[in-house]
Amino acid sequence: MPNFKTLDDLDDISGKRVLVRVDLNVPVNNGEVTDTTRIERVAPTINQLAAKGAKVILLAHFGRPKGKMEPSMSLAPIADKVEEILDHRVYFAGDCIGDDVAAAIAEMNNGDILLLENVRFHEGEESNDRAFAKALAANGDIYVNDAFSAAHRAHASTEGVAHLLPSYAGRTMQAELEALERGLGDPKRPVVAIVGGAKVSTKLDLLMNLVHKVDSLVIGGGMANTFLAAEGISVGKSLCEHDLAQTANRIVAEAETAGCTVILPVDATVAHEFKAGADSETVGIENVPANAMILDVGPKTVARIIETLSHAKTLVWNGPLGAFELEPFDEATLAVARYAADQTKQELLVSIAGGGDTVAALNKARVAEEFTYVSTAGGAFLEWMEGKDLPGVSSLKN
């Protein structure tokens, strides 16, 4: 991987204090962790360092305590789940800097794992205060960042510390960066991007960047309605940002100049109410009833997307094609996901997907495991796709 040191570059680390920034901002309900994906993703890095005899010190955040000690946002209850998934004793410290933490670290044996309390309990974390970064760095000899999902934030534990200690990318960070390089950095062509979701306004930078990077851009979800309306097509009562018509037209014009084909729905599944099992029908995109709303793309659109994917070598996907959380408006997203997974399995396609709704849709289609890489990073994944510099990544560059 260019420009980054990884765990492969770490030689004798026995007895070394290794600060590892991980993402443990997991969903919790009544004190129980309900989704352990992020913990599972960082387990290989932690276990590898511990197995080599390092003293592994975990830095993480949870929630938005805004620089105050907020008991409901303590990492203490999460420590048990980390211990269970690592199958390794995990000790816990009630702060992330200070004398008590230094004393706890001094008592660690080689191979021990210590989770420090929520870094966001200190104001210096989010303001990337140099004194706070120095206090964190004082606890380690080496820094490993394995929290790509927090890499778009220039915080003390994600960026500041990296300038104060020898720094390396952990296994999750490495996998994410290598996958994204395959997706947009130096991809096999043709490249297809699928972008869905509710609003154009939240993905303007993304769309503008993608038309210069990909060969075909499929636009679905609520945002497709804005593009259709901009072309003078009536979208009935569908979710639509009519005030962004000019912007939509500008993106299409930009795509044309860049030689990128924009694929919009040619038919749609419409209903009169937004609920699961609502009476629905498929209509040509020119024939959306005035009192109905578009809740999914139709079968002709799915066929066109699949036809495009059949010639593609790389797929980058962010956002579902319809209201996938409601049946039967999940059909297009599931059909395309299954086709992409099948192409990937046959080694005809490199498929990179990310974003919360996208991951949920791929899980619903039961194909997440079959994609080349599925990012759990959300905001950082989106900003990378937008072509933005990520502070937590830039600070690791040699």
Side-chain angles (χ1 to χ4, degrees):
M1 187 169 59
N3 295 329
F4 300 90
K5 285 184 177 166
T6 69
L7 299 194
D8 299 324
D9 300 299
L10 274 174
D11 294 324
D12 182 18
I13 54 169
S14 183
K16 293 274 173 64
R17 301 170 304 160
V18 182
L19 284 180
V20 187
R21 179 54 162 100
V22 292
D23 185 355
L24 301 180
N25 197 26
V26 293
V28 174
N29 195 3
N30 296 328
E32 282 295 308
V33 177
T34 56
D35 182 349
T36 57
T37 310
R38 285 183 166 172
I39 304 173
E40 289 158 16
R41 288 267 169 115
V42 295
T45 293
I46 299 167
N47 283 331
Q48 188 177 335
L49 292 168
K52 287 187 171 180
K55 296 172 180 176
V56 185
I57 301 146
L58 305 179
L59 298 172
H61 75 276
F62 183 66
R64 296 174 184 260
K66 305 225 182 298
K68 295 185 175 61
M69 169 72 190
E70 185 61 65
S72 67
M73 294 181 199
S74 171
L75 283 166
I78 293 169
D80 293 341
K81 188 53 79 173
V82 176
E83 184 168 284
E84 183 187 312
I85 285 168
L86 294 177
D87 196 21
H88 191 299
R89 176 77 197 269
V90 174
Y91 297 92
F92 183 73
D95 203 345
C96 58
I97 57 170
D99 294 343
D100 289 350
V101 173
I105 291 169
E107 285 176 20
M108 290 176 79
N109 294 314
N110 293 2
D112 278 357
I113 300 168
L114 174 69
L115 172 61
L116 304 187
E117 184 56 284
N118 193 340
V119 289
R120 288 190 182 173
F121 283 177
H122 293 265
E123 278 183 5
E125 165 64 2
E126 294 193 61
S127 64
N128 200 2
D129 177 70
R130 187 157 173 85
F132 180 63
K134 277 185 169 174
L136 289 173
N139 293 323
D141 305 305
I142 292 163
Y143 172 73
V144 172
N145 192 341
D146 211 26
F148 177 81
S149 41
H152 56 314
R153 315 248 183 241
H155 291 174
S157 69
T158 59
E159 202 260 356
V161 177
H163 298 292
L164 301 171
L165 294 172
S167 297
Y168 301 80
R171 291 300 182 211
T172 302
M173 176 74 87
Q174 179 184 354
E176 191 94 33
L177 295 175
E178 286 173 351
L180 294 176
E181 182 66 14
R182 287 176 79 184
L184 287 179
D186 185 20
K188 287 183 182 170
R189 294 196 173 273
V191 185
V192 177
I194 298 176
V195 180
K199 294 182 172 181
V200 175
S201 51
T202 59
K203 295 191 177 175
L204 275 179
D205 293 346
L206 171 63
L207 295 168
M208 275 300 191
N209 185 46
L210 285 179
V211 295
H212 297 284
K213 294 274 181 87
V214 306
D215 301 291
S216 298
L217 173 61
V218 176
I219 300 176
M223 66 168 63
N225 304 333
T226 302
F227 283 82
L228 294 168
E231 289 184 0
I233 293 167
S234 171
V235 294
K237 290 190 169 173
S238 308
L239 178 69
C240 181
E241 294 171 288
H242 291 283
D243 56 326
L244 287 180
Q246 270 185 306
T247 305
N249 287 334
R250 196 170 81 243
I251 291 167
V252 171
E254 193 94 10
E256 212 165 288
T257 308
C260 167
T261 305
V262 174
I263 297 172
L264 290 169
V266 292
D267 60 347
T269 303
V270 301
H272 294 284
E273 43 188 347
F274 186 82
K275 69 170 194 184
D279 285 341
S280 62
E281 61 173 329
T282 301
V283 296
I285 209 66
E286 307 275 357
N287 302 315
V288 175
N291 58 352
M293 60 187 104
I294 299 170
L295 294 180
D296 200 5
V297 303
K300 285 182 180 166
T301 307
V302 170
R304 182 163 183 215
I305 296 168
I306 285 175
E307 164 65 15
T308 305
L309 285 177
S310 72
H311 304 292
K313 293 276 189 286
T314 304
L315 166 65
V316 184
W317 191 342
N318 177 261
L321 295 168
F324 82 100
E325 66 280 16
L326 305 175
E327 292 178 11
F329 311 111
D330 56 352
E331 286 178 7
T333 301
L334 299 186
V336 172
R338 286 173 183 142
Y339 181 80
D342 195 53
Q343 290 291 95
T344 306
K345 231 172 9 186
Q346 294 182 58
E347 298 186 354
L348 299 170
L349 185 70
V350 170
S351 50
I352 317 287
D357 283 347
T358 319
V359 177
L362 297 185
N363 284 333
K364 193 174 183 185
R366 299 195 174 147
V367 296
E369 299 295 319
E370 288 160 22
F371 267 54
T372 308
Y373 192 79
V374 177
S375 171
T376 57
F381 179 79
L382 206 54
E383 288 199 19
W384 181 286
M385 282 180 74
E386 288 168 359
K388 292 178 179 165
D389 230 14
L390 306 184
V393 172
S394 302
S395 59
L396 292 178
K397 287 183 179 170
N398 291 337

